């Protein structure tokens, strides 16, 4: 950290502490202002390569989500869904399911898009960080709902498969301000990787559906 950035970071930290203390005194949960949050981000990435600075700039959808947090007005939510749905690219061959075994690897891979990754690192979906998939897996996150028996419960329905593709490709097209990454739109995963993850969710032979 440079000598110039330390006072900025310290000032932001002190401001945040003051806000928390005031909220505790008022018996209310602390809500750092958007300016404070942006200040933290800028102090962290301000001297990063331009490529990384460009990546943290919110687009129109994220800017709206940041402004409204978890209380998005219905009109804005509808605008987000419509805008992001237009960014979904469906497979030109009309096929949505790939190889479930390859999909399992994608779901377990948490690499890609990090400072520590070497150029050319293949990104994964890191699905287990937020969801249960294979019911026999012992380690999984709970930020998202359980996806165990996902295809089986939906009777392997073609419309459900397409809906799941849409959600993985661009979650904001389905749920405005979703915590789930826009894997396809932001080119985190390739079309084939998304197909493979769908197979992991929907293939009757996948352990997800056993």
């Amino acid at each position: 950290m440079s000598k110039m950035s330390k006072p900025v970071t310290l000032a932001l930290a002190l401001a945040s502490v003051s806000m928390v203390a005031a909220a505790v005194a008022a018996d209310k949960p602390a809500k750092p202002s958007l300016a404070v949050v942006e200040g933290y981000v800028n102090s962290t990435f301000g001297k990063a390569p331009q490529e990384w600075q460009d990546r943290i700039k919110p687009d129109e959808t994220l800017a709206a989500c940041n402004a409204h947090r978890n209380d998005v007005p219905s009109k804005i939510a509808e605008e987000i869904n419509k805008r992001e749905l237009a960014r979904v690219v469906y497979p030109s061959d009309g096929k949505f399911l790939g190889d479930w075994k390859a999909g399992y690897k994608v779901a377990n891979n948490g690499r890609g898009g990090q400072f520590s990754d070497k150029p050319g690192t293949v990104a994964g979906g890191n699905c287990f960080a937020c969801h249960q998939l294979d019911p026999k897996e012992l380690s999984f996150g709970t930020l998202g709902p359980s996806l165990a028996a996902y295809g089986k419960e939906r009777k392997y329905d073609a419309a459900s498969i397409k809906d799941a593709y849409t959600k993985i490709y661009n979650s904001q097209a389905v749920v405005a301000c979703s915590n789930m990454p826009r894997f396809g739109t932001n080119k985190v995963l390739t079309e084939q990787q998304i197909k493979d993850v769908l197979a992991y969710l929907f293939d009757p032979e996948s352990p997800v559906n056993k």
Side-chain angles (χ1 to χ4, degrees):
M1 184 180 292
S2 69
K3 292 183 179 179
M4 292 185 67
S5 63
K6 285 183 179 179
V8 175
T9 304
L10 179 58
L12 288 168
L14 291 174
S16 182
V17 169
S18 297
M19 291 175 65
V20 172
V24 170
D27 196 26
K28 294 180 180 179
K31 271 193 174 183
S33 69
L34 187 58
V36 170
V37 174
E38 290 179 343
Y40 272 122
V41 173
N42 291 334
S43 68
T44 301
F45 290 92
K47 295 195 175 183
Q50 188 60 46
E51 176 190 355
W52 281 89
Q53 294 190 46
D54 292 340
R55 287 175 63 178
I56 64 173
K57 292 179 181 177
D59 59 12
E60 185 177 5
T61 291
L62 285 184
C65 293
N66 290 342
H68 297 284
R69 305 188 192 181
N70 294 325
D71 189 21
V72 187
S74 59
K75 182 179 179 180
I76 293 179
E78 291 172 4
E79 292 173 353
I80 289 173
N81 290 155
K82 182 179 180 180
R83 177 168 58 247
E84 297 302 322
L85 182 59
R87 302 177 71 187
V88 176
V89 179
Y90 294 101
S92 59
D93 60 5
K95 298 179 181 179
F96 288 89
L97 300 184
D99 178 358
W100 73 258
K101 293 181 180 179
Y104 169 74
K105 294 179 181 179
V106 175
N108 260 311
N109 179 10
R111 304 301 300 174
Q114 303 177 61
F115 277 117
S116 57
D117 291 326
K118 296 180 180 179
T121 297
V122 177
N126 202 23
C127 307
F128 279 99
C130 295
H131 300 280
Q132 178 189 35
L133 293 103
D134 180 350
K136 295 181 181 179
E137 284 283 347
L138 299 178
S139 178
F140 51 85
T142 57
L143 180 62
S146 172
L147 304 180
Y150 195 84
K152 185 176 182 180
E153 289 180 351
R154 289 159 180 76
K155 304 184 186 304
Y156 310 106
D157 175 63
S160 296
I161 293 174
K162 184 176 181 180
D163 288 344
Y165 180 95
T166 303
K167 180 69 182 292
I168 296 173
Y169 196 97
N170 191 326
S171 61
Q172 302 269 20
V174 181
V175 180
C177 300
S178 168
N179 288 321
M180 186 170 169
R182 293 174 284 182
F183 287 108
T185 297
N186 289 343
K187 302 186 184 306
V188 177
L189 299 179
T190 65
E191 179 183 291
Q192 186 58 51
Q193 285 180 305
I194 295 175
K195 287 183 175 184
D196 292 339
V197 171
L198 279 177
Y200 185 50
L201 289 173
F202 281 95
D203 193 312
E205 297 303 314
S206 168
V208 170
N209 298 306
K210 294 296 185 180

